């Protein structure tokens, strides 16, 4: 959906708690065609109320799967942000938000396109 998102005049920006080097590695490893920014210490996610601490048993499970959060994120907090998607207008106002505590649930990219079209239609209606 990236071409359609860009056609609507929007950009995708991912924000990760990973260190800047690891965020760049994630972008390259997954051939992502959008920016992946680093939110060191989850400071921005914390301002948005999106941070949660993993329980010790889940940290162990992550390690069993070869996921070292301390190394990836550059700290020992074992905190992660909730999965969230924001559609933000050019003035910085949040037009739509999707947040789910279940990391397996993400906003479908086609739904992002729908929300962008709604945003563009509301801008047209207000400014005619």
């Amino acid at each position: 959906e990236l071409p359609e998102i860009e056609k609507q005049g929007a950009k995708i920006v991912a924000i990760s708690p990973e260190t800047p080097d690891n965020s760049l590695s994630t972008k390259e490893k997954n051939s992502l065609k959008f920016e992946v920014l680093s939110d060191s210490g989850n400071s921005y996610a914390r301002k948005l109320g999106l941070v949660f601490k993993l329980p010790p048993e889940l940290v162990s499970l992550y390690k069993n799967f070869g996921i070292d959060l301390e190394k990836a994120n550059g700290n020992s907090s074992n905190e992660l942000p909730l999965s969230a998607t924001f559609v933000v207008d050019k003035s910085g106002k949040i037009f739509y938000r999707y947040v789910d505590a279940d990391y397996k649930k993400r906003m479908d990219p086609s739904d992002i396109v729908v929300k962008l079209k709604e945003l563009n239609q509301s801008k047209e209606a207000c400014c005619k």
Side-chain angles (χ1 to χ4, degrees):
E1 296 290 338
L2 185 58
E4 186 60 30
I5 289 169
E6 291 173 343
K7 183 178 170 186
Q8 295 301 315
K11 293 182 182 182
I12 291 182
V13 176
I15 303 174
S16 168
E18 295 177 316
T19 64
D21 285 347
N22 287 326
S23 289
L24 180 59
S25 176
T26 295
K27 179 180 177 178
E28 291 171 349
K29 181 173 60 176
N30 295 294
S31 300
L32 300 177
K33 305 288 187 225
F34 50 85
E35 290 300 316
V36 179
L37 304 178
S38 179
D39 179 22
S40 297
N42 280 304
S43 59
Y44 186 61
R46 193 174 321 291
K47 288 179 185 176
L48 297 174
L50 297 174
V51 177
F52 69 98
K53 186 168 183 71
L54 290 173
E57 59 275 7
L58 202 48
V59 174
S60 295
L61 184 61
Y62 272 51
K63 285 183 180 177
N64 288 341
F65 284 118
I67 301 169
D68 186 345
L69 290 178
E70 187 170 343
K71 182 179 176 188
N73 297 345
N75 64 55
S76 60
S77 71
N78 292 318
E79 294 178 332
L80 291 174
L82 294 172
S83 172
T85 301
F86 296 91
V87 176
V88 182
D89 70 16
K90 289 183 180 185
S91 73
K93 180 180 176 190
I94 296 173
F95 177 78
Y96 180 81
R97 71 176 181 270
Y98 176 91
V99 179
D100 198 308
D102 183 345
Y103 74 93
K104 297 175 298 243
K105 295 181 181 176
R106 309 281 172 114
M107 187 173 180
D108 190 277
S110 62
D111 292 334
I112 295 170
V113 172
V114 169
K115 292 300 175 187
L116 289 169
K117 287 179 179 179
E118 289 175 11
L119 173 60
N120 289 331
Q121 289 171 350
S122 70
K123 286 190 313 189
E124 289 174 13
C126 84
C127 303
K128 284 187 177 181

